[in-house]
Amino acid sequence: MRTTAVILGLLIVVFAGAWLLRDRPVAPEPAPETTAGAVGESTPEAETGAVPLPSPAETADAVAEQALELEAEAFLNTLTQTELEPIAVESADHFMRADQAISLIAPETIEALSAEEILADPELRPDSPITVVKEIEQVETITPEKLIAESGGDLEQRVKVLENDEVREATVREVLESRAADPEKPILVVKKVQYFEVTTPRELEQELDQMVPGERLVGIIRRPYQIEAATLADLLMAERVLEPDAVFYVRTVRGSDEQGVWGIVQSGLVENFARGIAVRRGEEINTYRVEIPPLADEVLVDRTSSFLGRLIHAKTLDSFVYNFRHHRMGRNPDVLHPGQELLIIKFNPDELISIYKHFVNEQS
């Protein structure tokens, strides 16, 4: 009986399997040429599953693209490097981060008077509170990139540098060439900076003999003056536009800005990208620049908007105007007042990097 049960079980399994397979499609026989190619001729990719390697040309393109990306990022970092001294409100023309300080002192507030003229002024009593403006030389350590940016790309501009405890004058080109063998060596530049000191005519007379070498008095503000300075973040706080990595182009509106916001943004990009280039591309010193053609924002031949034109158009719709005479922020870029307003345009870093890469590729 046990043997009979086992035999019946096996028959059930066989018949069940046949029933399950009765409708399954039969795989076609492989073509003879396929079979022939598969026997003894399998490729490494088929055996290992490896992806074919890119061609040398594709590899070179990828390496070049990555190098340009890093170069563009380095350029942006140099272009927006925060200045230690506040930027004067009457001459702002910078790309900056939100932590950059701006001096909001109106230039006409400072009278260019000598110490003798201040002391002889009949309107000033000995104890009248005044603020004197002094100028002094100080040494600043900067990079070659920053030196080029500050010179506006003019390699023949003369600067004062401190070397071996001595101050000498040289062109930007000469300073860079002297460090070609040791590019990491710091550059010590001697600059003139202004600072403000609240005092009285009597105290000023007593201090004249105590001024340090290189210090000189350049003017006066006829009242005790707290320096009015604010960071860009302070000015924009109420506008709630401060993304952590935002970059801003800030420009004092001038009488020559006849093309309005569009012209200001266009010239700001052209001039600052040529001025602040600061990234080496090759060995030549005079290759530290990327040129944006003056007409790059114009409509193309096929009547479509250019790359730069589309970007500038978007920026004109997203701009801020700060009146530093009346200390108020507005958003009406259609009405600009020269000599009393800052135009503030917000960019994200990717936009500026894309501009850099676009025009470097065009130059190439």
Side-chain angles (χ1 to χ4, degrees):
M1 293 293 292
R2 180 176 298 174
T3 301
T4 302
V6 171
I7 293 172
L8 288 172
L10 290 172
L11 290 172
I12 291 171
V13 170
V14 172
F15 280 104
W19 182 84
L20 289 171
L21 293 171
R22 75 189 193 282
D23 295 326
R24 180 169 295 180
V26 179
E29 290 292 330
E33 61 272 16
T34 304
T35 305
V39 178
E41 296 183 13
S42 61
T43 63
E45 290 83 357
E47 293 178 354
T48 64
V51 178
L53 294 174
S55 68
E58 291 172 331
T59 301
D61 288 343
V63 171
E65 178 63 25
Q66 184 178 19
L68 181 57
E69 183 75 23
L70 294 175
E71 180 183 305
E73 292 175 1
F75 165 77
L76 178 61
N77 289 336
T78 300
L79 186 70
T80 61
Q81 188 173 14
T82 300
E83 302 283 346
L84 296 179
E85 295 292 325
I87 292 174
V89 71
E90 74 273 12
S91 58
D93 182 9
H94 301 71
F95 283 87
M96 62 181 71
R97 305 283 183 177
D99 62 349
Q100 176 64 57
I102 301 174
S103 172
L104 301 178
I105 299 174
E108 67 272 13
T109 306
I110 303 173
E111 296 180 55
L113 297 175
S114 66
E116 291 74 16
E117 290 172 324
I118 294 172
L119 296 176
D121 192 324
E123 296 182 6
L124 296 174
R125 298 188 305 274
D127 294 321
S128 297
I130 59 174
T131 300
V132 292
V133 184
K134 293 182 179 180
E135 185 179 78
I136 192 170
E137 289 187 335
Q138 70 177 24
V139 179
E140 180 181 334
T141 302
I142 66 175
T143 63
E145 291 79 12
K146 185 98 182 320
L147 179 61
I148 295 170
E150 292 185 352
S151 69
D154 179 7
L155 300 182
E156 303 308 318
Q157 180 174 310
R158 303 191 71 80
V159 294
K160 288 184 177 180
V161 292
L162 179 65
E163 293 181 344
N164 301 320
D165 296 327
E166 291 186 3
V167 176
R168 74 179 184 92
E169 193 172 294
T171 66
V172 173
R173 185 186 300 277
E174 290 169 342
V175 174
L176 295 173
E177 288 176 344
S178 70
R179 281 160 177 74
D182 187 9
E184 301 302 318
K185 183 179 179 181
I187 300 174
L188 303 178
V189 177
V190 180
K191 294 182 176 181
K192 291 182 178 180
V193 297
Q194 289 186 352
Y195 70 96
F196 301 79
E197 182 179 294
V198 178
T199 184
T200 65
R202 177 182 284 116
E203 292 173 346
L204 174 62
E205 186 175 19
Q206 295 170 352
E207 295 171 357
L208 286 178
D209 295 333
Q210 302 174 15
M211 295 179 68
V212 301
E215 182 183 34
R216 72 185 188 94
L217 191 149
V218 297
I220 179 179
I221 300 172
R222 292 178 178 268
R223 62 179 183 273
Y225 204 90
Q226 297 300 318
I227 299 176
E228 294 183 30
T231 66
L232 197 55
D234 294 331
L235 300 182
L236 291 169
M237 189 65 68
E239 304 300 325
R240 304 180 184 276
V241 294
L242 293 177
E243 289 87 351
D245 60 347
V247 174
F248 298 88
Y249 174 56
V250 179
R251 161 74 182 273
T252 304
V253 179
R254 300 164 189 170
S256 58
D257 293 326
E258 298 176 353
Q259 294 184 327
V261 177
W262 184 291
I264 292 174
V265 178
Q266 188 265 356
S267 63
L269 289 168
V270 170
E271 294 172 12
N272 277 278
F273 271 55
R275 175 193 308 151
I277 295 315
V279 178
R280 299 176 188 260
R281 291 200 316 275
E283 299 300 325
E284 296 295 326
I285 291 178
N286 56 4
T287 58
Y288 287 79
R289 61 175 56 247
V290 60
E291 297 288 352
I292 298 179
L295 301 180
D297 59 322
E298 298 292 329
V299 175
L300 301 177
V301 176
D302 62 2
R303 309 305 300 167
T304 60
S305 297
S306 64
F307 164 80
L308 191 62
R310 290 193 301 271
L311 187 139
I312 293 178
H313 174 70
K315 294 303 159 189
T316 60
L317 302 177
D318 187 22
S319 57
F320 301 87
V321 178
Y322 179 74
N323 191 307
F324 53 86
R325 304 287 182 188
H326 303 289
H327 302 286
R328 62 170 180 258
M329 183 69 75
R331 294 205 66 171
N332 183 12
D334 294 328
V335 180
L336 298 176
H337 299 91
Q340 59 179 294
E341 289 180 327
L342 288 176
L343 179 67
I344 303 172
I345 309 288
K346 185 178 70 171
F347 289 84
N348 66 58
D350 288 342
E351 289 172 325
L352 295 175
I353 287 174
S354 69
I355 294 172
Y356 183 92
K357 292 168 63 176
H358 177 87
F359 288 103
V360 167
N361 283 327
E362 280 206 345
Q363 284 179 230
S364 301

